């Protein structure tokens, strides 16, 4: 009985230290699977679609005439979105997205639980210290790399010299008599 009680208290302690993270990650993963399943089965209503414009700097790309069916995820501010279509221009990337409200709620609840569990210092208002905001446009710059391959004019001549030697006698002299065959 004591062993069972000790294991029970240990499991509660381990769940409090790291189990919340695993539980939240599991439920976030399940919400991603469900929204992807809805996208594949075309159960997404057209009223749920949102168009997001992301400024980019792609000088070497031509403007796409229409949306390409590409799936992925993007996080903007406090929301998570699953995009179903992408259209690229030289200065803007257009994403057709579905808001993943379940993942957003779980992520925010996980942050609240993590703040209560961790020993991170909080500011006067009771919030975590603010992070440095990333630069707006330079974060999405994709540099264009061009390669040019040149052919050399002078080529090295290949000289093949066969290696061979003639044996004067095909027999090798032995210092003694070979051993007898034992049957």
């Amino acid at each position: 009985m004591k062993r069972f009680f000790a294991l029970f208290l240990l499991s509660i302690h381990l769940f409090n230290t790291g189990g919340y993270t695993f539980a939240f990650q599991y439920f976030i993963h399940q919400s991603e699977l469900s929204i992807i399943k809805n996208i594949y089965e075309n159960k997404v209503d057209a009223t749920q679609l949102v168009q997001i414009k992301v400024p980019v700097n792609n000088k070497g790309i031509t403007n796409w005439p229409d949306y390409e069916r590409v799936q992925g995820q993007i996080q903007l501010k406090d929301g998570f979105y699953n995009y179903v279509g992408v259209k690229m221009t030289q200065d803007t990337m257009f994403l057709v997205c579905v808001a993943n409200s379940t993942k957003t709620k779980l992520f925010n609840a996980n942050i609240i639980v993590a703040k209560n569990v961790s020993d991170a210092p909080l500011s006067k208002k009771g919030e975590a210290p603010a992070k440095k905001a990333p630069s707006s446009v330079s974060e999405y710059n994709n540099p264009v790399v061009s390669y040019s391959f040149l052919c050399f004019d002078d080529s090295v001549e290949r000289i093949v010299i066969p290696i061979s030697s003639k044996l004067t006698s095909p027999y090798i002299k032995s210092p003694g008599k070979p051993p007898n065959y034992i049957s």
Side-chain angles (χ1 to χ4, degrees), residues 12 88 101 121 125-126 136 144 150 167 172:
I12 289 174
M88 295 290 292
S101 59
K125 295 179 182 177
S136 61
V144 176
L150 302 175
L167 294 175
I172 300 173

Side-chain angles (χ1 to χ4, degrees), residues 36-56:
I36 289 172
K37 181 181 174 186
N38 289 342
I39 290 170
Y40 273 118
E41 294 174 353
N42 290 328
K43 292 183 180 177
V44 178
D45 191 18
T47 59
Q48 295 175 340
L49 296 177
V50 177
Q51 182 182 22
I52 298 174
K53 295 179 183 179
V54 179
V56 293

Side-chain angles (χ1 to χ4, degrees), residues 7-182:
L7 287 175
F8 179 72
L9 289 177
L10 181 65
S11 63
I12 289 174
H13 177 69
L14 290 176
F15 183 77
N16 281 334
T17 55
Y20 285 111
T21 304
F22 292 120
F24 277 110
Q25 290 302 320
Y26 173 75
F27 289 123
I28 287 172
H29 179 70
Q30 290 300 326
S31 73
E32 290 173 2
L33 290 179
S34 69
I35 199 161
I36 289 172
K37 181 181 174 186
N38 289 342
I39 290 170
Y40 273 118
E41 294 174 353
N42 290 328
K43 292 183 180 177
V44 178
D45 191 18
T47 59
Q48 295 175 340
L49 296 177
V50 177
Q51 182 182 22
I52 298 174
K53 295 179 183 179
V54 179
V56 293
N57 186 10
N58 291 324
K59 297 295 182 197
I61 195 168
T62 58
N63 294 342
W64 295 2
D66 201 12
Y67 285 93
E68 294 289 328
R69 188 170 174 92
V70 178
Q71 294 185 358
Q73 298 176 2
I74 187 169
Q75 177 185 3
L76 295 174
K77 296 183 182 176
D78 292 334
F80 289 92
Y81 299 91
N82 287 59
Y83 54 87
V84 295
V86 176
K87 181 179 176 182
M88 295 290 292
T89 62
Q90 289 184 350
D91 60 347
T92 309
M93 178 172 51
F94 298 96
L95 300 169
V96 176
C97 302
V98 178
N100 193 343
S101 59
T102 308
K103 182 176 179 179
T104 304
K105 290 175 186 174
L106 286 169
F107 187 78
N108 291 336
N110 190 14
I111 290 175
I112 291 170
V113 170
K115 284 181 185 177
N116 293 337
V117 171
S118 71
D119 293 334
L122 299 176
S123 66
K124 294 177 184 176
K125 295 179 182 177
E127 296 177 356
K131 296 180 183 177
K132 181 182 175 186
S135 61
S136 61
V137 177
S138 64
E139 184 178 349
Y140 300 106
N141 283 349
N142 295 331
V144 176
V145 180
S146 64
Y147 295 101
S148 61
F149 297 100
L150 302 175
C151 182
F152 293 111
D153 292 335
D154 300 328
S155 61
V156 178
E157 291 183 28
R158 189 172 170 187
I159 301 172
V160 178
I161 301 174
I163 299 174
S164 65
S165 64
K166 286 189 170 184
L167 294 175
T168 56
S169 173
Y171 302 108
I172 300 173
K173 292 184 179 180
S174 171
K177 186 177 172 185
N180 292 332
Y181 177 71
I182 301 173

